[in-house]
Amino acid sequence: MNAPLESGIGGYVPMVDGPEKVSGRARYTADLAVRPGTLVARLYRSPYAHAEILEVDVSQATRLPGVRAVITGADCDRTFGVLPIARSEHPLARGKVRYRGEPVAAVAAVDDATAKAAIALIRMKVRELPAYFSAAEALAPDALPIHERKRGNIEREVRFEIGDVAQAFAEADLVQEGTYHCPEVCQNQMEMHAALVDYDAEADRLTVHATTQTPHYIHLMMAHVLELPMSKIRVIKPHVGGGFGARTETLNVELIAALLARKTRGRVRLVVTREETFLTHRGRPESHIRVKIGLRRDGRITGVECDCIQRGGAHSGYGIVTILYAGSLLYGLYDLKHVNYHGVRALTNTPPCGAFRGHGTVNVRFAFESLLDRMAEQLGLDPLSVRRANLLVPPTFTDNDLMVNSYGLPECIDWVERRSGWRERRGRLPRGQGLGFACSHYVSGASKAVNPGSEPNATVKVRLDHDGSVAVLSGAAEIGQGSTTVIAQTVAEVLGLGLDRVHVISGDSDLVPTDNGSYSSRVTFQVGNAALDAARQLKTILLNAAARRLETRVENVECLGEHYRAGAQDTGLSFDEVAAEALRGGTIVVTGTYTTIPESHGGKKYLGAAIGGTMAFSYSAQVVQVSVDEDTGVVNVEKVWVAHDCGKALNRLTVEGQVQGSVWMGMGQAMSEEMGYHEGLMVAANMLDYRVPTIFDSPDIEVGIVESNDPHGPFGAKEAGEGSLAALLPALANAVHDAIGIRFDALPMTPDRILAAIEKRRRGHA
Amino acid sequence: MTRVLEIELNGERRADPIEDNLLLLDYLRETVGLTGTKTGCDGGECGACTVLVDGVPRLSCLTLACSLVHRRVETVEGAGADGMLSAVQRGFHEKLGAQCGYCTPGFVVAATALLRWNADPTDDEIRAALGSNICRCTGYVKIIEAVRHAAALQSKGVRARVARPGSC
Ligand code: FES
Ligand code: FES
């Protein structure tokens, strides 16, 4: 372990906002002090999966005493959606409803009981339409379009072939194909969605508090939907109880609360239930994947063919990006030469999917790594050697033009091989016990933002205060991943200050510079680099101030943490003295920025090839040990060894926490999590039926940190919060195969499915 | 029906007029303003709302406030003393048992109860005590470390406050 510096860079640093959280003082949106007069909002949601709205009768609800406003789709004709090219959603449905649970009307009332009573009085008349609950039904030639502008219910179809796949398969010693099915899963972050919106009628100004990862996107979308200038809206992000991608776009919750606040000219609080949080959804789409790989006896992959069909739900959301990622991130992990991809994102009458942690890569990675494991076995090759035969050599560009400058995958593989005792133990465990292996990777920030403008990718301001403390103003959204801590550490490190001198101000659009928020694992890399830039500028100012006071040239000034001196003989100046000198000219605020380089923007070989472009990839290798009870079908995940290349661990504690959290989240998808529907009705919209692993089901997860020192990363750092999720699914499935000899190509591996597979094999053998 | 609830909350006696059907969770959050206790689900699924009633973990979202007349209730806000963190809170902070922190009050309260009757729990005992609390961030690995660390801090004399003088 490195000796921690004062900033703690490279050490184990508890989060700077930890004490607030463990003491119960941290305020989340639903906790904000609610003054008398605050109205409570509730939603009327569609009981139909697909229907033309003939009438929404709110007359009785409006007349109920205590009701201040009832709104419907008639109150807002603007559409929203995170991608400027795909804004398909109204805050409240207009003309049609497209999934069961879609908001149709909303009430603001003096209290919750009145709001609920009003909702019960709302009547809706519809003409039902045929509804499509699977991608196959929606894509059938005779299906009606769910959105007029999307014929055939195709949100986006992607096709590319780079190289010559047929030729590559002809050169392989083994060509195999598999089909894989991943269920729809949901982030299910612990905090339910909430918004508190204040409308100041005098100033015609909205103040929005919301549970979001992307306050700036809310700001943009709120301005668009409410037709207000951005300066008339203030967006505040309080503490947020997890995101995992569910909150990387503006949700109807915030917009509806704002519409109600404006209509009532007051203050409205909308806290939705857990069931409604599930319905709001934005999870990972159900995916059917067919993958075909050509492999040589020496382990080289000659070519890959992959089809992916995603059930996207009733609205566009991030869908286009998800189906593009699924293809582009076939690359970047191994050296692939000939690849053919066909992706279809379907619109269906189910709640809209979104950007779940590991966005776009997870299901395809499960399919790819599962098939590779099967083929390695058929050729009698060690799964690790197969990966080692296909490594990239950095610096390089993949064939689809993704930039790779740092590549710690070989070290990750070595680490898990050693720590798990792979060579000694694999194949020698008792029946029912097994080891499985797989790899994955992820972007450290999309190089092009979803809302590209001429702005830098990240901007941070650093202010020197009169007591010698430093305030960092950043729009990065702390959602529990530790962004505030890592930004504070970065600035403290450059300035040679203790962490207690640095204070991060974030999450208030009136105070902080614009930032795209916490998604695609961009914060450490992009915001970190902007913070680095700002801190370096301030450092220059401080060195010059010290030179003035010490009456020497700036090159002669030596900075030893909080002590500045001109040579060893000099008694020097304290940081406070240097700060006072620097501040003689008035308040100092410096602005640091970060802009990704054009080479990182992905390619142009097919439409949408920019998706996947990033400044750096993180890498992960994993070994999972399981035992399977063949009488009950219960899989016990006993241990996970995971090595993650995060470039440089700025904070080993939070890196470990992020890696463990993502591995564990992958385990949930592999083992038990699944959104189920009956005729479009979500049947697992609670935390008992939607089973996330409890502490009983959860293994020890040992983390190895690999540091490949990315040349562009802040201090060499890359992402740590997503890249380890994907490998867990195939590593676990491969371990189950090692334990009982059965391959699971459909997730989750619940006990009933395990038992059914064992039974099927028994009958087959009988 | 409205009645007056006499209750001991975090060591202080209170008397609040409440409705019969008021949940303990809403009493704490809305009536008293102690928002440390969280709502994580629609009832009984997640453990975020865990508080101690007479020292025993209880889901406040499934408890009627009026059933607790003269009972002793402790929430996360009552775990520390004099503005300092308790051993359990320090454990969660220092070992990163809290990421987003939303589940944390429930875990802190449940772990506090555990360490009172078992100062040196095994990992399985920790699992058993925290089995009804869901965390979506940590994968629980560091939560178990946090409780172990808290036990060590407590044995070194950094004690979790049991109750203020005068209570129970
Ligand atoms: S709020 Fe989830 S169990 Fe009480
Ligand atoms: S720390 Fe986020 S849910 Fe536990």
Side-chain angles (χ1 to χ4, degrees), chain A residues 72-124:
Chain A
T72 66
D75 289 82
C76 179
D77 63 359
R78 309 280 282 185
T79 55
F80 72 100
V82 66
L83 307 177
I85 53 167
R87 289 186 175 150
S88 74
E89 214 164 344
H90 287 99
L92 294 164
R94 279 170 72 92
K96 259 173 102 171
V97 285
R98 296 178 171 88
Y99 67 94
R100 278 194 178 188
E102 182 160 23
V104 172
V107 169
V110 290
D111 57 29
D112 198 34
T114 309
K116 281 181 181 153
I119 292 294
L121 295 172
I122 293 173
R123 297 284 174 270
M124 172 161 140

Side-chain angles (χ1 to χ4, degrees), chain A residues 3-14 16 484-502 561-562 648 650-652 715:
Chain A
L5 308 171
E6 280 209 274
S7 66
I9 287 280
Y12 287 82
V13 184
V16 293
T484 298
T485 304
V486 89
I487 293 165
Q489 283 184 270
T490 300
V491 172
E493 170 72 12
V494 174
L495 296 175
L497 298 177
L499 257 189
D500 51 346
R501 282 226 195 224
V502 180
E562 302 194 2
K648 158 87 184 163
L650 304 186
N651 184 341
R652 299 179 83 84
F715 308 108

